[in-house]
Amino acid sequence: MRHKLAVILAVLFVSMFGATRAMADEPQPGVARISLIHGDVSTQRGDSGDWVAGTLNAPIVGGDSLSTGARSRAELQLDYANILRLDESAEAKIADLTRTHIQVQISRGLVYYSVFRGSEADVEIDTTNVAVRPLREGGYRIEVTPDGDTVVM
């Protein structure tokens, strides 16, 4: 009886450790925040089609979009080392946001992307015809023109 109890406890321990380890290996979804708003800024949750007024410190998760109006600006703090700034009349969707992977889709307008020291994320900034992958710290200027062309500096 004591042997059976020991076997059962060992099986439970191994199964719990394996489940915990599998959960730790999966990338956990991240949460960004709107850190600056100037003018008309709107957000769209990935699970609904409604655009609502953006608010300071509002959480943004993967699948959410951010849009700025005329003469408006917004800043999105994706994590401690990656910042996205939207100029006027710009729109960006956060396609993926985890500790190790950030994917942003720019559909229109001018954005500035800053990567600071210590970033752990593999970053990809997509437009309709270009994918930009910042490989080191620095500032990246990406513009999707009204014609649909992409300009990267």
Side-chain angles (χ1 to χ4, degrees):
M1 182 72 166
R2 199 177 279 170
H3 179 66
K4 287 183 181 180
L5 182 60
V7 170
I8 291 171
L9 287 175
V11 168
L12 285 174
F13 177 75
V14 169
S15 66
M16 285 181 10
F17 177 72
T20 303
R21 184 175 178 119
M23 287 172 48
D25 291 343
E26 294 178 14
Q28 299 297 315
V31 178
R33 74 178 186 97
I34 300 175
S35 53
L36 177 95
I37 291 178
H38 178 76
D40 296 325
V41 176
S42 301
T43 60
Q44 180 185 42
R45 296 287 171 218
D47 56 357
S48 74
D50 300 332
W51 285 93
V52 297
T55 58
L56 196 58
N57 292 322
I60 302 292
V61 296
D64 292 353
S65 296
L66 187 67
S67 177
T68 57
R71 296 181 307 280
S72 300
R73 311 239 182 315
E75 180 180 85
L76 189 61
Q77 185 177 3
L78 298 164
D79 65 8
Y80 64 91
N82 291 279
I83 305 288
L84 177 69
R85 293 176 186 91
L86 283 75
D87 201 22
E88 66 177 327
S89 302
E91 186 176 333
K93 178 180 180 178
I94 307 306
D96 191 21
L97 181 61
T98 66
R99 182 180 60 80
T100 58
H101 187 253
I102 296 172
Q103 183 178 8
V104 179
Q105 298 170 340
I106 309 302
S107 56
R108 65 180 162 89
L110 175 63
V111 302
Y112 300 92
Y113 194 91
S114 299
V115 180
F116 298 108
R117 186 177 316 177
S119 177
E120 298 175 359
D122 176 32
V123 178
E124 181 176 325
I125 305 160
D126 297 323
T127 68
T128 55
N129 53 6
V130 173
V132 178
R133 299 179 69 85
L135 299 177
R136 60 179 181 217
E137 299 101 29
Y140 301 84
R141 182 179 185 255
I142 302 158
E143 181 178 11
V144 177
T145 66
D147 299 342
D149 294 332
T150 300
V151 180
V152 180
M153 288 189 195

